[in-house]
Amino acid sequence: MSDNGQYFQRDRTWHPPAFTPSYKTSVLRSPQQPLISLENTLSESTGPVFGHSKIGPLDNDLIRNYAKTGEAIGQRIVVYGRVLDENARPVPGALVEFWQANAGGRYRHKKETYLAAIDPNFGGCGRMITDEEGRYWFRTIKPGAYPWPNGVNDWRPAHIHFSVFGHAFAQRLITQMYFEGDPMIWQDPIAMTVPDRAAVEQLIAALDRQNTLPMDSLAYKFDIVLRGRRSTMFENRMEGN
Amino acid sequence: MVQKLDFLKESPSQTAGPYVHIGTNPNWVEITGVWNEDLGLVLVGPETKGERIIVKGRIFDGAGDVLRDALVEIWQADAEGLYNSPEETRGKADPNFVGWGRQPCDGTTGEYRFETVKPGRVPFRDGRMMAPHITVWIVARGINIGLHTRLYFSDEEAANAECPVLAQIARRNRIPTLIATRGEENGMPAYTFDIHLQGEKETVFFDI
Ligand SMILES: [Fe+2]
């Protein structure tokens, strides 16, 4: 079986719909016409390759990669996991980018207005390319929850944003990771854009005491699944193809 | 009970949020010193083959307001119509052209802008040629799952007329939403591709 089949159709009932009125910004930013279904052509089944040479040694260490006068303040954690496809196969060479607020829930961004203090030693960004087994890992501090303008008193649960490239542009995905045991996930208008409870749970990283570094960092496991593709057992062979 | 199918579910998408640039373009939001250069800003170098073009545009919401916090990625074939990807089996793409770009919309004007080369034609699944096009992907606060569209070129009328993808769009009056208008900027062809998320001029988005 070769690997050159179409990518599985995206399960749009598993993803959030475009229009989710409880997340108010989506109201004017959601297309209303049906999406046009397009079987993958080369334009969708190809994608850019990112070399390991682009990545620096501290790119996956958010505690140190912006350090000026000392290390970032907060609960030290290691986040690790695998990038897999829907066939449960690892995706090696995938660029994974992550960004987050500091321990107080404050982003380093000029438009950010939350009163929590900026940490002079925390930038909040990192990236890594998955290894041969699809693994990535990074060290950071646990981000704080933060309030945001939606309802008058809406707060985001602690979360880390993820951007992932697979092997095809059709696999491109941006999502967020939440933390096990956080009751605020279920009050969050953004997490709740995902209609199915089991789908929300797929975004909650598990506390992993086995991989916790004694006297150093707690560990959280977060696997990310990208679209898989059909095996080409009896792939349609159209004329000229 | 029946046997279980051993498939995983794709991780559900979540919005990129207002601070996506911290992760993708930290230098652009003044987080400097973590890495030197944000990925995807430059597509062409002196060795890249093909006609230099600019593609630019703005993204509008359902009230007609311009998005200033969106992020745009493009993916395209080289001037000969070959993708720089392991999946490309028809030949070897220009080694001086990756074909992937990423730009934030300007914080004031909302404009996104790429300098690239005009892509060649790529075959559809059945071997017929598609018209030259660039895949465009948009994320932003308020967009729950990234939006895929395609940019076609206004000066490729004959190719556009026979493009098997454009032919699949039953409501023909929506096709112009996919066609970038050719103009000129400093002697270089500049194509304007405005994107409308909603409303009468809503851009065609694809489920790919
Ligand atoms: Fe956030």
Side-chain angles (χ1 to χ4, degrees):
Chain A
M1 280 193 249
S2 91
D3 238 350
N4 296 316
Q6 294 264 307
Y7 282 86
F8 302 151
Q9 177 178 318
R10 210 160 223 165
D11 182 353
R12 295 267 169 185
T13 67
W14 192 251
H15 289 285
F19 178 74
T20 48
S22 57
Y23 174 22
K24 292 180 184 177
T25 318
S26 75
V27 170
L28 286 173
R29 295 185 171 195
S30 42
Q32 293 168 332
Q33 301 295 324
L35 302 177
I36 302 288
S37 301
L38 177 61
E39 272 200 297
N40 303 155
T41 69
L42 273 172
S43 303
E44 290 77 37
S45 64
T46 53
V49 176
F50 298 94
H52 290 267
S53 63
K54 295 232 186 261
I55 306 296
L58 285 183
D59 284 9
N60 68 340
D61 187 350
L62 281 70
I63 290 179
R64 288 174 59 213
N65 71 12
Y66 194 78
K68 307 290 179 202
T69 55
E71 296 194 336
I73 289 170
Q75 166 74 67
R76 296 161 66 86
I77 60 172
V78 169
V79 178
Y80 77 95
R82 285 192 300 164
V83 178
L84 303 165
D85 68 17
E86 289 170 290
N87 293 305
R89 285 193 285 242
V91 183
L95 174 64
V96 183
E97 301 166 304
F98 19 88
W99 65 99
Q100 63 169 89
N102 71 18
R106 169 90 180 232
Y107 283 97
R108 183 175 284 281
H109 195 285
K110 57 191 166 210
K111 284 198 199 147
E112 161 74 287
T113 54
Y114 181 34
L115 53 77
I118 285 181
D119 180 345
N121 294 307
F122 188 71
C125 58
R127 55 187 185 178
M128 190 170 164
I129 291 176
T130 57
D131 70 10
E132 282 308 303
E133 291 167 68
R135 293 178 301 195
Y136 75 89
W137 57 92
F138 61 96
R139 189 162 78 146
T140 186
I141 49 87
K142 189 174 177 187
Y146 59 82
W148 60 297
N150 187 59
V152 291
N153 191 20
D154 279 337
W155 288 67
R156 297 296 327 278
H159 62 277
I160 300 177
H161 296 264
F162 279 76
S163 159
V164 191
F165 291 79
H167 296 165
F169 213 65
Q171 293 177 299
R172 192 78 182 85
L173 182 73
I174 280 185
T175 188
Q176 300 182 27
M177 178 197 113
Y178 303 100
F179 291 85
E180 178 178 353
D182 187 347
M184 290 177 61
I185 297 166
W186 309 100
Q187 307 164 17
D188 174 28
I190 289 181
M192 293 298 101
T193 59
V194 176
D196 189 312
R197 188 180 174 96
V200 177
E201 287 170 347
Q202 195 179 352
L203 298 180
I204 304 176
L207 174 66
D208 174 1
R209 295 283 284 107
Q210 261 71 9
N211 279 303
T212 289
L213 301 170
M215 308 304 283
D216 184 337
S217 302
L218 288 173
Y220 284 89
K221 190 208 77 162
F222 184 60
D223 287 343
I224 301 162
V225 181
L226 302 181
R227 293 169 72 185
R229 60 197 314 193
R230 212 151 59 211
S231 308
T232 50
M233 290 175 281
F234 294 98
E235 190 71 9
N236 286 344
R237 285 242 161 243
M238 293 191 191
E239 220 174 308
N241 195 3
Chain B
M1 290 294 281
V2 299
Q3 295 191 3
K4 271 216 160 71
L5 293 170
D6 300 319
F7 297 110
L8 303 176
K9 296 296 287 185
E10 186 186 11
S11 297
S13 171
Q14 291 270 267
T15 181
Y19 306 127
V20 58
H21 313 106
I22 294 175
T24 60
N25 299 77
N27 291 291
W28 191 70
V29 289
E30 292 152 34
I31 299 175
T32 55
V34 180
W35 50 77
N36 290 335
E37 196 186 306
D38 300 334
L39 292 173
L41 297 181
V42 179
L43 285 107
V44 292
E47 309 289 303
T48 307
K49 296 192 194 87
E51 183 192 12
R52 266 44 173 188
I53 62 168
I54 288 165
V55 299
K56 59 177 184 172
R58 292 183 297 166
I59 305 171
F60 297 88
D61 72 11
D65 289 328
V66 173
L67 272 65
R68 295 179 178 85
D69 52 10
L71 180 77
V72 180
E73 288 186 11
I74 61 171
W75 171 241
Q76 64 166 97
D78 70 7
E80 301 295 323
L82 294 168
Y83 280 103
N84 201 328
S85 167
E87 190 77 4
E88 175 63 82
T89 55
R90 297 167 299 143
K92 189 160 166 38
D94 182 350
N96 297 303
F97 186 68
V98 169
W100 175 76
R102 177 159 75 184
Q103 290 281 355
C105 291
D106 184 90
T108 307
T109 65
E111 187 179 77
Y112 69 87
R113 184 186 181 82
F114 296 92
E115 188 180 331
T116 183
V117 294
K118 193 151 178 208
R121 295 178 76 173
V122 175
F124 189 59
R125 293 181 61 73
D126 60 7
R128 283 181 291 161
M129 295 307 268
M130 299 188 282
H133 64 275
I134 295 175
T135 294
V136 179
W137 188 72
I138 308 161
V139 291
R141 177 173 70 100
I143 295 177
N144 288 327
I145 179 165
L147 298 170
H148 277 268
T149 186
R150 280 186 176 195
L151 178 160
Y152 286 85
F153 298 90
S154 63
D155 53 351
E156 294 285 348
E157 275 180 42
N160 291 341
E162 62 183 25
C163 179
V165 169
L166 292 177
Q168 286 181 7
I169 300 167
R171 287 181 53 204
R172 309 303 293 166
N173 61 347
R174 298 195 66 205
I175 292 176
T177 68
L178 297 179
I179 297 179
T181 315
R182 184 178 165 127
E184 208 191 270
E185 213 178 278
N186 304 322
M188 209 191 289
Y191 295 88
T192 300
F193 186 62
D194 287 337
I195 294 165
H196 296 266
L197 301 179
Q198 259 183 29
E200 254 171 55
K201 291 188 277 185
E202 182 176 314
T203 299
V204 168
F205 296 105
F206 293 97
D207 189 13
I208 61 168

